[in-house]
Amino acid sequence: MTGHFLKILAIAGMSTLALPSFAHAADPAAMLAACPAWPTRCRVDLKGKVYKIQDTLRLNPLTTTLTNGVLDASGLPDGKPAILVSSDGKGQPESYDTAANSIDHLVLTGQPKADGIVLDNKDDDNIRAAAITLENVSISGFRRGVTF
C-alpha cells in the first residue's frame, strides 16, 4: 500500500514539474526571465506566434537571442519601450561579445506614445554594451522605432 502511494506521489510531482514549461510558452517575458545567467546563452524562439505584451521585455544582449514571432505592444503604457536591450546588472563580464546574439525575424507593433527597441545601459564606464544585431525586424506604430 505504501509503495502504491509513493508511486502516485512521484507521478504527481513529475506532472507538477512539467507545468512551468507550458507556462513559459504563453508569455515572452517569462521565457526571457527563464534564461540562465551569464555566461550561458539563451535562444527564445516565439515559434511564429503572436503575443500581446503589456510591459517592457528586458533583453540581455550578452546572453539572449529573441527570434521568430510577432509582438503586439499596442497596450504598452505611454513612454515605455517594448524591448529594452541592456547588459546592466550584477554578474556581467567586464568585456562583451554580442556577435552571437540577435533580435531576428520579428514583427513589433506598438502605440504612438511608446518606443519600440531601446538600447541603453545605465553603467557609464564604457565597458558594457547595449548592442545587438537586428536582422529582418519590422517595427511600426511607435513614437520612435529604435533608440540608442
Side-chain angles (χ1 to χ4, degrees):
M1 179 90 171
T2 304
H4 182 67
F5 176 73
L6 290 176
K7 287 180 188 175
I8 292 172
L9 187 58
I11 290 170
M14 284 188 279
S15 66
T16 301
L17 292 175
L19 287 177
S21 64
F22 293 112
H24 294 302
D27 182 7
M31 290 183 226
L32 289 167
C35 284
W38 174 263
T40 305
R41 297 197 187 266
C42 181
R43 182 175 178 86
V44 176
D45 187 346
L46 302 176
K47 300 185 186 328
K49 295 182 180 175
V50 177
Y51 295 93
K52 281 193 80 70
I53 58 172
Q54 303 295 322
D55 203 5
T56 300
L57 297 179
R58 184 176 172 87
L59 191 87
N60 184 339
L62 301 174
T63 59
T64 310
T65 291
L66 180 63
T67 186
N68 193 23
V70 177
L71 296 175
D72 176 0
S74 58
L76 203 61
D78 293 354
K80 295 282 189 174
I83 299 174
L84 175 64
V85 177
S86 176
S87 62
D88 281 335
K90 292 187 177 201
Q92 300 300 318
E94 289 302 314
S95 63
Y96 52 89
D97 175 14
T98 60
N101 298 306
S102 65
I103 299 173
D104 60 71
H105 299 91
L106 189 77
V107 174
L108 182 61
T109 60
Q111 59 107 332
K113 293 185 179 178
D115 292 329
I117 299 173
V118 174
L119 294 94
D120 183 33
N121 273 354
K122 292 183 173 79
D123 187 353
D124 292 328
D125 64 9
N126 295 321
I127 293 174
R128 300 198 181 151
I132 195 160
T133 300
L134 301 177
E135 180 182 338
N136 196 14
V137 176
S138 171
I139 303 170
S140 63
F142 291 99
R143 172 178 56 182
R144 294 180 292 245
V146 178
T147 305
F148 301 95

